[in-house]
Amino acid sequence: MNQSKLWAARAAELRPDGRAFIEGRRVAAVDGLTFDRQSPIDGRPLGAVARGQAADIDAAVQSARRAFEDRRWTGMPPASRKKVLHRFSALILAARDELALLETLDMGKPIQYALEEDVAATASCIAWYAEALDKVYGEIAPTADDALALIAREPMGVIGAVVPWNYPMVMAAWKLGPALAAGNSVVLKPSEKSPLTAMRLAELAMEAGLPPGVFNVVPGFGHEAGEALALHMDVDAIGFTGSTRVGRLMLAYAGQSNLKRVYNELGGKSAVLVFDDHKDLERAARTVAGSMFYNQGESCNAPSRVLVQADIAEDFVQLLAAEARSFAPGDPLDPETELGALVDEQQLRTVLGYLAAGREAGARCVTGGEQARQDSGGYYVQPTIFDGVTNSMKIAREEIFGPVMSVLRFQSEEEAIALANDTPYGLQASVWSHDLNRAHRVSRALRAGTVHVNQYDEDDITVPFGGYKQSGNGRDKSLHAFEKYTELKTTWISLD
Ligand code: NAD
């Protein structure tokens, strides 16, 4: 059987369990409510998922609180907690095929990337924080002889994690890894558009030895389960990844409830600046198009505004267009497919609306611009490039979250920096120049949480990920994220 048929056969056999996971076991929603999932790849039914409400969130938070208070997790020796998290990471890898298939069916990404990127990144994130947990030390403050001041990092308590659908497992792991490693309990609310892998992760964590109640999952809708979690009086912090619109609500919920910490990782409209001194435009075009169309353009850091110096713009657009055409939408279960399905019909309508807006505003569609694979029963759009975009157009200002790139032209370095920074977002940016002074000057001037120079795809768990401005206030990954899930405690001791 060829690989494509093999995945199709496995998919046909899959019967996902959509129940919540609370206190170490699968449970239906308190009032028995469910919602139905259909796969965006072809509309096939994926079964019923528990539709969590305030009562389910309350049960999960109470379970998490009990686990925290009796110290069943945080009280374990660090070496033992480390072992559990390493086992968790290993079990994720052992369940690689099943998790990847669930992710692909649930949200439409190509199986090859679910396998090679999503599962691998999820497992390595957990393993990295497992290693980190016994390497973060407290401090002793400089004091006079008659006192000792200890500064310790303590777990916060119960962490609510609310995550999106574009990288469901990875986004969950970016919260789970540091929150669990720091000794907290977690209640995870996955997106209603991609809930299936979250509950499997919780089962694997228990199998690895994580005590019941330390990691609970309540699937459901944002305005129901998500809102209840963010408003809960017994949740100490919310790790949120999602849209800027909901990020604002998260801050409001904290203000209306117990002033819980809110760490927001939000949207982006990241700019790439390509200068005419760059010596390898082909590599630049390959990297930029690859980063843009990866994951169907459904990435917060997709380089969706490409600013090109006017004298090389014609050539560069041709190179980009050639690269874009290699991302033909295909069946996500075919291991050769590079571009899968958008997450649902609503997202398809949104993206098609932006394609129409680009044309109406006078931008020139260089390649793509149409819906694709309608006969599949799924939601596909061709990789699209608009040239002649100005920064005031809707397609340049708003996050599209689909395979749509805007090309803008500039004359001078000053103009390029001004255009790049003229956005409410500040997640990432990229500078392409072989002039060392310019590369440093421009990197310094860009208001973004990550600036890439002569590349875009470098990424690692060791570095913080997050944005300036309306792209958020938190940082996922690295020890900076670990610290975010701890409280600082000072203990003064008087010495006789
Ligand atoms: P979204 O904001 O619609 O939903 C994110 C999560 O919030 C989901 O679990 C959803 O159910 C929940 N939610 C929705 N309304 C809510 C409410 N009223 N109260 C509480 N919870 C609510 O975002 P999305 O469409 O799932 O994801 C796409 C967005 O995520 C994009 O804007 C993207 O840029 C962003 N994102 C950011 C990063 C980052 O690290 N900065 C990473 C990935 C995605």
Side-chain angles (χ1 to χ4, degrees), residues 142-370:
T143 54
D145 280 354
D146 59 355
L148 176 64
L150 308 174
I151 304 167
R153 292 212 164 266
E154 296 192 336
M156 298 178 99
V158 177
I159 308 297
V162 181
V163 298
W165 46 262
N166 58 341
Y167 299 95
M169 279 188 292
V170 181
M171 295 300 104
W174 285 6
K175 318 291 182 200
L176 277 175
L180 293 177
N184 299 284
S185 300
V186 176
V187 177
L188 170 64
K189 208 298 281 173
S191 169
E192 60 277 19
K193 300 182 183 189
S194 61
L196 298 176
T197 45
M199 282 86 80
R200 275 299 286 139
L201 285 182
E203 281 179 330
L204 295 173
M206 294 304 119
E207 203 181 318
L210 196 71
V214 176
F215 172 21
N216 302 305
V217 184
V218 181
F221 290 87
H223 64 283
E224 296 175 347
E227 184 176 317
L229 185 59
L231 279 171
H232 203 287
M233 293 298 286
D234 208 17
V235 170
D236 298 285
I238 288 282
F240 175 68
T241 300
S243 61
T244 296
R245 182 187 72 79
V246 178
R248 282 182 217 287
L249 291 176
M250 290 294 173
L251 293 168
Y253 296 144
Q256 288 161 31
S257 55
N258 60 345
L259 289 177
K260 56 180 69 66
R261 309 280 196 285
V262 174
Y263 303 127
N264 271 335
E265 306 291 344
L266 310 176
K269 196 73 194 174
S270 298
V272 172
L273 294 75
V274 187
F275 289 93
D276 62 7
D277 65 63
H278 193 271
K279 296 185 186 120
D280 189 351
L281 290 182
E282 281 178 23
R283 188 169 71 82
R286 197 163 55 245
T287 305
V288 173
S291 304
M292 177 65 235
F293 298 120
Y294 181 71
N295 213 46
Q296 303 72 244
E298 296 167 323
S299 300
C300 51
N301 63 338
S304 52
R305 286 189 305 148
V306 179
L307 318 181
V308 193
Q309 202 147 19
D311 54 340
I312 54 164
E314 280 309 322
D315 290 347
F316 195 64
V317 168
Q318 291 316 315
L319 291 172
L320 285 173
E323 292 293 336
R325 287 185 202 107
S326 69
F327 285 85
D331 176 4
L333 292 176
D334 179 344
E336 301 289 311
T337 293
E338 300 267 356
L339 193 89
L342 297 181
V343 73
D344 63 6
E345 189 175 0
Q346 186 191 349
Q347 189 65 12
L348 172 73
R349 297 281 150 236
T350 302
V351 173
L352 294 179
Y354 280 109
L355 296 180
R359 289 190 171 104
E360 276 158 28
R364 186 170 66 88
C365 182
V366 180
T367 185
E370 302 294 337

